[in-house]
Amino acid sequence: MKKTVLYGLLLVSYFVVAHIALTADGGAQWAALIAIIPIAIWWLKALFARSASSLRRCTILLVGVAGGGLGWWYWSRWVGYAEWVYLLQSVGSMLLMASVFGVSLTMKEGDWVTRLATIIHDGSLPPEIARYTRSVTVGWTLFFLLMAATSMTLFASGQREWWSAFINLLSWPLVAAAFLVEYGLRKLLHPNFEHVSFSTTIRRVTGALGKGGVPK
């Protein structure tokens, strides 16, 4: 629990500092530096992963050194395009989530939310709940597409402060709010269905992961 709170505070701090750097006069250098942090964390995790072989570690190390060298060599140009990096991060993450939900709608195994709900409820869902969970998958697909479109629209409008506030301060709170709205709607539309708690959801999903029971 303490680790979760700590990670949450670090994540919030990252977004707040990024927003300040993007909107402050002369903050381009800091914005560019902060943009590298997620890439550096990913690189370190990949480098020191327990499952990584010696060959993979050497490859990751060389790629990191080469990337760091290029970044240092082209630092002045990198600073000038820092905002584009943040745009790619925000739009890319939202489009990735939209694709995860959207593509699952075409899979014969079923859509993503329905498969997840099946795990949570021990392998079976009433037909009306299955229809509802499929509509939730559609809703999440449209939600993340709208988020990506909003980010691009604000960026194109030249309203840097509004755009930065949206991607750094509002995006993930809006995702959390969407979760709460969906939960409330589910209880309203299906009051007699078992609505498990968030902790129970995590426990059952992680248990299925440990047994290899997550649908493909």
Side-chain angles (χ1 to χ4, degrees):
M1 181 64 181
K2 291 182 179 180
K3 285 186 177 180
T4 302
V5 173
L6 177 60
Y7 291 153
L9 290 174
L10 289 174
L11 190 62
V12 170
S13 299
Y14 169 82
F15 286 123
V16 171
V17 173
H19 173 66
I20 293 172
L22 279 171
T23 56
D25 292 334
Q29 293 273 357
W30 285 106
L33 187 61
I34 294 167
I36 298 173
I37 292 177
I39 301 172
I41 292 175
W42 175 86
W43 178 75
L44 288 171
K45 288 184 66 176
L47 182 63
F48 293 105
R50 293 181 179 179
S51 59
S53 62
S54 298
L55 177 60
R56 184 179 178 183
R57 289 182 194 276
C58 290
T59 303
I60 294 171
L61 180 62
L62 290 173
V63 169
V65 171
L70 286 172
W72 178 79
W73 186 262
Y74 290 102
W75 179 253
S76 60
R77 296 183 181 180
W78 166 264
V79 170
Y81 289 98
E83 290 183 351
W84 286 90
V85 176
Y86 285 93
L87 177 68
L88 290 174
Q89 287 179 349
S90 67
V91 173
S93 61
M94 295 303 167
L95 290 181
L96 176 62
M97 293 302 298
S99 67
V100 168
F101 286 100
V103 171
S104 73
L105 290 166
T106 66
M107 299 175 67
K108 63 179 181 180
E109 295 88 351
D111 62 277
W112 199 88
V113 176
T114 300
R115 285 183 283 164
L116 183 61
T118 301
I119 294 172
I120 295 170
H121 294 281
D122 300 322
S124 63
L125 291 175
E128 66 274 12
I129 299 299
R131 288 192 295 270
Y132 170 78
T133 53
R134 182 175 177 83
S135 68
V136 172
T137 300
V138 174
W140 278 115
T141 303
L142 296 175
F143 173 81
F144 285 114
L145 287 175
L146 178 61
M147 293 284 283
T150 302
S151 178
M152 289 188 290
T153 301
L154 288 173
F155 183 83
S157 70
Q159 299 293 327
R160 186 173 63 178
E161 292 80 8
W162 285 99
W163 167 72
S164 177
F166 176 76
I167 66 168
N168 288 309
L169 306 180
L170 295 178
S171 288
W172 296 111
L174 285 173
V175 173
F179 269 108
L180 293 176
V181 169
E182 188 279 317
Y183 181 75
L185 183 62
R186 190 188 337 138
K187 293 192 70 173
L188 179 65
L189 295 177
H190 303 283
N192 298 322
F193 185 69
E194 178 193 11
H195 302 285
V196 299
S197 65
F198 182 74
S199 59
T200 302
T201 298
I202 296 298
R203 185 173 65 253
R204 292 182 182 178
V205 171
T206 52
L209 282 170
K211 297 176 182 179
V214 176
K216 298 179 180 179

